Amino acid sequence: MLTLGLVGLTVTVVMGFLIAVLLISWFSNPPFGLGNAPPQPIAFPHTVHAGSEADGGMGIQCEFCHRNVTRGDAATVPAVEQCLFCHKTIGGTGETAKAEIAKVRQSFEENDPINWERVHRLPDHVRFIHEAHIRFFTDPDQPTRTGINGESISEPLTVPETCSVCHGDVASMTEVQPKQGQSLKMGTCLDCHRNNNVATDCTVCHK
C-alpha cells in the first residue's frame, strides 16, 4: 500500500508539474519563458541605436541592421562585420559602453560570431514571412489596415512602425522584451488576418 501511495504521489507531482509548464507556456511570451527575454551576450541598447535623435539616439532604421526584413522570411541579425561599420571608430563614452563595444571588436578579431539569444520563437511548423507583412502595412495603395489588436490604421506605415505593430516600440527599449500585453499566438494571427481580409488557410502559415 505504501508503494502504491508513493507511485500515486509521484504521478500527481509529475502531472502537476506538466500542467504548470503548459499553463506558463500558454500565458507567457516567449513560449516556455516567464515573460522576460533571455539575457544577451552583449548589451545592445536599442534606445541608443534606434532611438530618435531628439531623445539622444542615433535614429538608425530597423532595416539597416535587420537587412532581410523587407526581402525575405526572417528579419536576420547583422554580422559582426556590420557592427564594425560604426564601431571600428566609435568606442563608446561610458565605461559600460566601452566594455561592451570591446566585446564586439574582440568577436570580429577572433572571427567568432556573436550568439544572440532569440526573443521571439515560433514553432518549427509555423512560417512567418516578414517581407509580406512589411509590404502589406507600408503599401500606399492598400485601402485599409487593421493592427494586431484591432486598431484602425488609415495611413501606410513606415518599416519601423510596422515592426512595432507586433514587437512594440523597440526603439525605446534598453533590453528588447516581448511587447507587453501582446500575445503572438495563433488566435492573434488569425484575428489580424481576418480583420485585414487576408487568407486564413492553414497552408498560409503552416509548413
Side-chain angles (χ1 to χ4, degrees), residues 18-113:
L18 291 175
I19 291 172
V21 169
L22 290 173
L23 287 174
I24 291 172
S25 171
W26 183 256
F27 289 107
S28 65
N29 188 10
F32 292 99
L34 296 175
N36 294 317
Q40 299 295 342
I42 297 176
F44 185 93
H46 278 74
T47 48
V48 173
H49 296 81
S52 68
E53 294 182 39
D55 293 329
M58 298 297 296
I60 299 173
Q61 299 296 296
C62 303
E63 61 269 33
F64 179 80
C65 292
H66 302 285
R67 296 203 163 187
N68 201 54
V69 73
T70 60
R71 296 181 292 185
D73 293 10
T76 67
V77 293
V80 182
E81 290 84 351
Q82 190 172 332
C83 301
L84 267 291
F85 289 170
C86 298
H87 288 298
K88 186 175 182 179
T89 55
I90 298 175
T93 53
E95 292 304 314
T96 300
K98 290 179 180 178
E100 297 302 310
I101 293 170
K103 295 178 186 177
V104 176
R105 291 174 173 174
Q106 180 181 0
S107 177
F108 175 75
E109 291 167 0
E110 297 178 357
N111 195 28
D112 184 21

Side-chain angles (χ1 to χ4, degrees), residues 115-129:
N115 293 317
W116 300 105
E117 296 290 340
R118 296 189 65 159
V119 176
H120 298 91
R121 182 182 297 277
L122 294 175
D124 290 340
H125 63 276
V126 176
R127 176 177 58 245
F128 182 89
I129 302 174

Side-chain angles (χ1 to χ4, degrees), residues 185-196:
K185 299 187 184 299
M186 180 176 173
T188 306
C189 298
L190 284 172
D191 288 343
C192 189
H193 274 225
R194 293 189 185 107
N195 290 336
N196 285 292

